[in-house]
Amino acid sequence: MVAMKDASSCVMPPREAAAFIAESAKDVKILPDGVEKLAHHLADVMGKNKHKVNENQLPDFNPKTADRAAVDWVFFIDTLNFSFWSEDERRAFTVRHRGRDLTGYFSLCAAVNRSLEAGVPLTDPAYYSTLTLEKLREHLRGEDGGEMPMMQERLANIREAGSVLVEKFSGSFLTCVERSNKSASCLLRLILDNFPSYRDETTYVGRRVALWKRAQILVADIWLCCHLFQSGDRKEVEIRGASIWAVELVLSKLRALLQTEGAAGVHVNAVMVDFYLWDLIKAKTAEGSSQLPFHHIRCIYY
């Protein structure tokens, strides 16, 4: 999503890493026909401004104002934005909020907002930097005693991140945003340099590659909020790298199509393509028209 130089001299950044992985992959391939079809679909949708998501299917928990509380909400959510899949989908972790049973990513949003509405300052770094596992389980509890996966890792993430914010950034991620001077690449570098749980890197075919999924999601979410701008297995890395590169290929084709069709003024970027695809598959899954498989890896990176 964001092009920038390596976080260190020996790590290949995501865009270059994705191309390298896609070219080297043995078990995962990008289908040119699929890229072509998706680009034409997106040209039709975005070029004619027909991109609409059924709000009844996809709950909107995002903050409506661009203030300190909103930025800290986004950071807290994205620090815990990983591994929601259930080994038995018939018993998926569920949170009931305002009359709706929510699973996956939305279960996290619902649990966090439920706590905030009850007066718990859950997204305040000063609060969650010293949170206990017992309290976190209470705040993120599911229906019928269900528990979100990887609670120990979630606690470690937020305590580490909260302590960094309190000690170095005046107790708020807003300070990080302000120090980035409205630069997405600067904000990404700041995240990677200061918050270890966001350093999504692995070794593939002898090269150190970075995927940085949650870090780039965080930058994209801040952009949307503020209008600024077995983990490591070869097959898993190929799936993730090829996914990133597929979006880049679709984006390149999409821009060419928009230019040809006289819609060159329509602004598109990788964030928009990625978010559109995420919205689309969630909506299709919710309505029962898609049962696409996905790989199951328990890790803190996605």
Side-chain angles (χ1 to χ4, degrees), residues 100-115:
R100 301 186 66 173
D101 287 340
L102 300 163
T103 60
Y105 167 80
F106 293 121
S107 67
L108 171 64
C109 297
V112 169
N113 282 15
R114 178 184 61 195
S115 293

Side-chain angles (χ1 to χ4, degrees), residues 231-265:
S231 185
D233 178 80
R234 175 177 59 79
K235 291 183 180 180
E236 183 225 7
V237 174
E238 289 180 3
I239 290 172
R240 300 184 66 201
S243 298
I244 295 171
W245 191 238
V247 169
E248 293 291 340
L249 293 176
V250 169
L251 177 61
S252 177
K253 183 65 177 179
L254 172 59
R255 285 172 171 165
L257 286 171
L258 291 174
Q259 181 81 28
T260 301
E261 296 174 4

Side-chain angles (χ1 to χ4, degrees), residues 1-285:
M1 293 182 185
V2 179
M4 62 172 289
K5 294 182 179 180
D6 318 42
S8 66
S9 59
C10 61
V11 179
M12 193 182 298
R15 193 173 187 276
E16 290 85 345
F20 171 69
I21 293 169
E23 292 168 0
S24 306
K26 295 180 180 180
D27 294 295
V28 178
K29 301 297 179 185
I30 297 174
L31 302 179
D33 287 348
V35 171
E36 185 83 15
K37 290 178 182 178
L38 180 56
H40 277 279
H41 170 72
L42 291 176
D44 180 61
V45 169
M46 295 182 174
K48 298 177 182 178
N49 196 30
K50 296 192 296 185
H51 176 201
K52 294 181 180 179
V53 177
N54 188 332
E55 293 182 355
N56 292 323
Q57 292 177 333
L58 300 178
D60 182 13
F61 288 102
N62 293 330
K64 301 301 185 292
T65 58
D67 54 15
R68 173 173 174 149
V71 170
D72 283 336
W73 185 93
V74 168
F75 179 75
F76 184 84
I77 290 290
D78 284 348
T79 302
L80 296 179
N81 184 9
F82 57 86
S83 196
F84 298 109
W85 56 272
S86 300
E87 295 177 9
D88 182 354
E89 290 299 328
R90 295 170 299 179
R91 302 179 61 185
F93 175 77
T94 304
V95 172
R96 186 169 298 123
H97 182 255
R98 297 186 177 180
R100 301 186 66 173
D101 287 340
L102 300 163
T103 60
Y105 167 80
F106 293 121
S107 67
L108 171 64
C109 297
V112 169
N113 282 15
R114 178 184 61 195
S115 293
L116 293 174
E117 290 163 6
V120 178
L122 186 54
T123 57
D124 183 344
Y127 178 77
Y128 63 74
S129 63
T130 60
L131 203 59
T132 64
L133 181 60
E134 180 183 12
K135 276 295 183 183
L136 183 62
R137 282 175 168 153
E138 177 186 333
H139 297 325
L140 302 185
R141 67 190 181 279
E143 302 306 310
D144 302 320
E147 183 172 297
M148 196 175 292
M150 301 185 74
M151 289 298 291
Q152 290 278 4
E153 291 82 356
R154 294 180 194 280
L155 178 68
N157 274 18
I158 60 172
R159 290 192 61 164
E160 176 184 72
S163 296
V164 170
L165 290 175
V166 169
E167 294 169 9
K168 300 176 64 175
F169 298 102
S170 303
S172 176
F173 190 69
L174 180 60
T175 303
C176 299
V177 176
E178 293 171 343
R179 290 187 188 178
S180 70
N181 295 316
K182 297 185 179 181
S183 165
S185 61
C186 287
L187 182 57
L188 180 57
R189 173 62 65 88
L190 187 151
I191 293 166
L192 296 171
D193 286 348
N194 291 279
F195 302 97
S197 74
Y198 282 89
R199 293 185 203 135
D200 181 4
E201 301 168 3
T202 191
T203 300
Y204 177 76
V205 193
R207 298 291 302 274
R208 193 68 183 165
V209 296
L211 297 166
W212 298 339
K213 179 176 180 179
R214 284 198 299 109
Q216 295 192 89
I217 288 176
L218 176 54
V219 172
D221 285 346
I222 292 297
W223 173 63
L224 290 172
C225 174
C226 301
H227 308 290
L228 301 173
F229 42 57
Q230 174 137 13
S231 185
D233 178 80
R234 175 177 59 79
K235 291 183 180 180
E236 183 225 7
V237 174
E238 289 180 3
I239 290 172
R240 300 184 66 201
S243 298
I244 295 171
W245 191 238
V247 169
E248 293 291 340
L249 293 176
V250 169
L251 177 61
S252 177
K253 183 65 177 179
L254 172 59
R255 285 172 171 165
L257 286 171
L258 291 174
Q259 181 81 28
T260 301
E261 296 174 4
V266 176
H267 175 70
V268 293
N269 57 34
V271 172
M272 296 168 69
V273 173
D274 183 71
F275 278 24
Y276 174 81
L277 293 175
W278 191 87
D279 284 349
L280 182 64
I281 193 60
K282 292 297 289 186
K284 286 185 175 296
T285 300

